[in-house]
Amino acid sequence: GGAAGLVAAAEAAEMGAQGTLFEKNRVLGCKLRITGKGRCNVTNDCTVQDFMANVPGNPRFLWSALNRMAPSDTMAMFEALGVPLKTERGARVFPVSDRAGDIAGALVTRCHKAGVEVIGEAVTAVKPLNGVSNDSSADHKFEISTAQNKYIFDCVIIATGGKSYPRTGSDGDGYRFARELGHTVTPLSPSLVPIVCRGNDCRDMQGLSLKNVGLRITPASGGKAVYEDFGEMMFTHFGLTGPMILSASAHLPDIAPGRYVAHIDLKPALEPAKLDTRLLADFAKYSNRDFANALDSLLPQKMIPTVIRRSGIPPHLKVNLITREQRRRL
């Protein structure tokens, strides 16, 4: 009953199958309704090639699926279902209403119109009645077990999601079903997750959101950046989160404590010389103030104590006494 299950059930029913959808939550599309801060980033308005170029790991795995249903097809599907869409920065596509519920609701309505039966029971097992076989031409039937009943079907689509959000139903059941059906499940690792940071800087700035900043992540051992981006992020009590950070996490292989360094560019539009000119103008404006009271025009209030500490400049030093080298460090 998630996004994939709803679309698969509707497509199958519209093609003549007698579709049955199992969902253990009280509502269909539970996780879909909270994605994108409740706005639902439906897809990206880009070509299949651009889409695959931004998939870390093994993009060719998606080649067949994306060529059968490209991002443009996904957009056309929702428009046809009565959900107007809009494209924002980064080619991200959202419903015009900014309500994820409109996306989920459209899929649920489509299933109902197609005659899909919805069974509100949690699936506990999926097994072929004739045993596991690699013969795709074999005439198998499948038994679906729940705590309450057993059901027999000609074929089954397992669309459980991964293990990303147990409270919405994505608790890893699909991996167990896959193993029991004879598939190999490779080691799992989280993706699209916040990043935990050492030290107290993030904790001291928790709750502070930044927009239009640059992010570059490099190995702690040195070398070229493994990820670069521009956008929004937020400090938390444990580290970093926000759209840009979640995207970065998918590009950090074998993530482990101390393995990577995040570099945040607060003024990506300013070259060092122009930033220094800006600093000189601020310091001239606040020439009789202490350094600690002269950064209000430059930085968010919640960030100032952390920046002062990291700069090494005495907080009570008058700004008209700050040297060129101290400005460079700042």
Side-chain angles (χ1 to χ4, degrees):
L6 287 165
V7 173
E11 289 279 348
E14 288 166 359
M15 292 167 65
Q18 182 182 340
T20 304
L21 190 66
F22 287 85
E23 175 54 56
K24 59 187 172 185
N25 291 306
R26 289 187 301 104
V27 296
L28 294 164
C30 186
K31 186 165 62 175
L32 188 58
R33 295 174 189 274
I34 61 174
T35 59
K37 296 182 181 178
R39 297 176 62 218
C40 189
N41 182 188
V42 178
T43 185
N44 267 51
D45 188 3
C46 63
T47 64
V48 171
Q49 289 74 18
D50 286 341
F51 194 106
M52 290 182 60
N54 284 278
V55 176
N58 182 20
R60 289 203 64 80
F61 176 75
L62 296 172
W63 178 256
S64 176
L66 285 170
N67 274 278
R68 284 175 175 267
M69 190 170 184
S72 58
D73 297 319
T74 299
M75 294 170 66
M77 179 184 73
F78 283 108
E79 294 274 2
L81 291 174
V83 183
L85 304 175
K86 61 181 177 179
T87 301
E88 297 186 359
R89 182 185 56 78
R92 296 173 300 160
V93 178
F94 294 89
V96 170
S97 66
D98 284 329
R99 292 195 300 262
D102 289 354
I103 295 294
L107 296 181
V108 172
T109 298
R110 183 185 177 193
C111 280
H112 288 326
K113 287 182 176 179
V116 175
E117 180 186 2
V118 178
I119 297 178
E121 299 173 13
V123 175
T124 56
V126 181
K127 66 179 182 180
L129 290 179
N130 298 331
V132 175
S133 170
N134 292 323
D135 182 2
S136 60
S137 65
D139 183 20
H140 284 305
K141 288 186 180 294
F142 291 85
E143 181 182 86
I144 300 289
S145 298
T146 71
Q148 298 91 336
N149 298 291
K150 293 186 185 296
Y151 302 85
I152 305 299
F153 294 100
D154 295 319
C155 49
V156 176
I157 296 173
I158 298 176
T160 61
K163 200 175 181 179
S164 60
Y165 209 141
R167 284 169 54 192
T168 66
S170 295
D171 55 7
D173 277 348
Y175 300 123
R176 177 170 59 81
F177 298 155
R179 287 191 188 95
E180 292 170 355
L181 289 166
H183 292 288
T184 299
V185 178
T186 57
L188 307 176
S189 60
S191 185
L192 299 180
V193 291
I195 294 176
V196 176
C197 299
R198 289 177 169 172
N200 297 325
D201 286 347
C202 293
R203 184 200 66 192
D204 293 344
M205 294 184 287
Q206 66 176 297
L208 173 62
S209 294
L210 301 176
K211 293 184 177 182
N212 303 321
V213 297
L215 173 71
R216 183 168 53 92
I217 296 185
T218 62
S221 57
K224 65 179 184 180
V226 295
Y227 186 80
E228 293 187 71
D229 203 355
F230 173 86
E232 302 173 22
M233 56 161 287
M234 185 173 78
F235 296 100
T236 73
H237 65 285
F238 59 80
L240 306 173
T241 190
M244 190 165 56
I245 301 299
L246 300 182
S247 295
S249 71
H251 296 263
L252 305 181
D254 304 320
I255 192 166
R259 178 155 189 168
Y260 295 101
V261 177
H263 309 262
I264 300 166
D265 188 346
L266 301 172
K267 306 290 182 184
L270 292 181
E271 295 296 323
K274 289 187 176 180
L275 180 57
D276 192 44
T277 300
R278 163 73 188 275
L279 280 173
L280 285 169
D282 279 359
F283 287 173
K285 179 180 176 181
Y286 304 124
S287 60
N288 294 319
R289 290 190 184 184
D290 292 349
F291 174 54
N293 298 320
L295 298 175
D296 293 357
S297 299
L298 185 71
L299 297 169
Q301 195 66 37
K302 208 162 191 175
M303 182 178 278
I304 291 174
T306 299
V307 169
I308 289 173
R309 184 171 65 251
R310 291 181 68 115
S311 75
I313 301 172
H316 299 298
L317 182 67
K318 298 296 182 184
V319 291
N320 55 17
L321 298 177
I322 290 177
T323 67
R324 184 177 184 179
E325 172 57 25
Q326 287 173 319
R327 286 202 318 275
R328 189 194 65 78
R329 285 211 311 274
L330 175 61

Coordinates of all heavy atoms in Angstrom, one line a residue, residues 27 32 49 131 174 185 201 217 243 248 289:
V27 N -3.9 3.6 7.0 CA -4.1 4.4 5.8 C -3.2 3.9 4.7 O -2.1 3.4 5.0 CB -3.9 5.9 6.0 CG1 -5.0 6.4 6.9 CG2 -2.5 6.2 6.5
L32 N 4.4 8.0 2.0 CA 4.2 9.0 0.9 C 3.6 10.3 1.4 O 4.0 11.4 1.0 CB 3.3 8.4 -0.2 CG 3.1 9.1 -1.5 CD1 4.5 9.3 -2.2 CD2 2.2 8.3 -2.4
Q49 N 18.7 9.9 -18.8 CA 20.2 9.9 -18.7 C 20.6 10.8 -17.5 O 21.5 10.4 -16.7 CB 20.8 10.4 -20.0 CG 20.7 9.4 -21.1 CD 19.3 9.3 -21.7 OE1 18.5 10.2 -21.5 NE2 19.1 8.3 -22.5
G131 N 6.9 -24.8 -4.2 CA 8.3 -24.6 -3.8 C 9.0 -23.6 -4.6 O 8.5 -23.2 -5.7
G174 N 10.4 -7.0 3.5 CA 10.6 -7.4 2.1 C 11.9 -8.1 1.9 O 12.0 -9.0 1.1
V185 N 20.3 -11.4 -0.6 CA 20.2 -10.0 -0.1 C 21.6 -9.5 0.3 O 22.2 -10.1 1.2 CB 19.2 -9.9 1.1 CG1 19.2 -8.5 1.6 CG2 17.8 -10.3 0.7
D201 N 30.0 22.0 18.0 CA 29.6 23.1 17.2 C 28.1 23.0 16.7 O 27.3 23.9 16.7 CB 30.5 23.3 15.9 CG 31.8 23.9 16.3 OD1 32.0 24.4 17.5 OD2 32.8 23.8 15.5
I217 N 32.1 17.8 0.6 CA 32.5 16.7 1.6 C 33.7 16.0 1.0 O 33.7 15.6 -0.1 CB 31.3 15.7 1.8 CG1 30.2 16.4 2.5 CG2 31.8 14.6 2.7 CD1 29.0 15.5 2.9
P243 N 17.8 18.9 3.1 CA 17.8 18.3 1.8 C 19.2 18.0 1.2 O 19.5 16.9 0.7 CB 17.0 19.3 0.9 CG 16.2 20.0 1.9 CD 16.9 20.1 3.2
A248 N 23.7 14.2 0.2 CA 25.1 13.9 0.3 C 25.3 12.5 0.9 O 26.3 11.8 0.5 CB 25.8 14.9 1.2
R289 N 32.7 49.0 18.2 CA 32.2 47.9 18.9 C 33.2 46.8 19.1 O 34.3 46.7 18.5 CB 31.1 47.2 18.1 CG 29.8 48.1 18.0 CD 28.7 47.2 17.3 NE 27.5 48.0 17.1 CZ 26.4 47.5 16.6 NH1 26.3 46.2 16.3 NH2 25.3 48.2 16.5

